[in-house]
Amino acid sequence: MSDDRLVGIVLVSHSAAVAESVAELARGLTGGGPDVPVAAAGGTEGGSLGTSAELIAAAAAAVDRGAGIAVLTDLGSAVLTVKALLAEGDELPGDTRLVDAPFVEGAVAAVVTAATGADLDAVEAAAVEAYTYRKT
């Protein structure tokens, strides 16, 4: 399968290390499938904790393969930053969605599902379903 039409995934965290680590974990659990375009957008341009509209927009552009982009976030202001970018309308590629899902489990589900060639609706549904994962 070609990876040129896979859904892209952007992981937005207040911490660059957290975003990169979750991206690495999710990529590692794809079972050797196609390389899903995943980008971490963590922290600020200066390396501090926080969120950056510029880093998010650059990450989304980097993973855009024309099949849509699922954006998962960690905490409140990351959500607000993505919502602001979506409202502006021209900062993110078309068919970019903010996905309401747990950050780690949702990211893994999204990347693994995207690796199967699933469309954006299925990738979003898999990430959202991660809310139901029980650990007991």
Side-chain angles (χ1 to χ4, degrees), residues 10-106:
V10 175
L11 303 175
V12 181
S13 173
H14 284 70
S15 164
V18 168
E20 288 291 344
S21 294
V22 172
E24 179 183 355
L25 173 66
R27 280 189 210 100
L29 295 176
T30 61
D35 290 330
V36 175
V38 179
T44 66
E45 290 88 348
S48 299
L49 294 176
T51 56
S52 163
E54 291 79 15
L55 291 178
I56 296 166
V63 301
D64 185 15
R65 303 292 184 275
I69 299 168
V71 180
L72 287 86
T73 61
D74 63 357
L75 304 169
S77 66
V79 174
L80 295 175
T81 303
V82 173
K83 283 184 175 183
L85 287 167
L86 289 168
E88 290 174 18
D90 61 350
E91 296 294 319
L92 298 175
D95 213 5
T96 298
R97 291 187 196 165
L98 175 58
V99 176
D100 182 9
F103 192 62
V104 175
E105 294 91 336

Side-chain angles (χ1 to χ4, degrees), residues 109-121:
V111 173
V112 169
T113 303
T116 70
D119 66 11
L120 183 56
D121 289 335

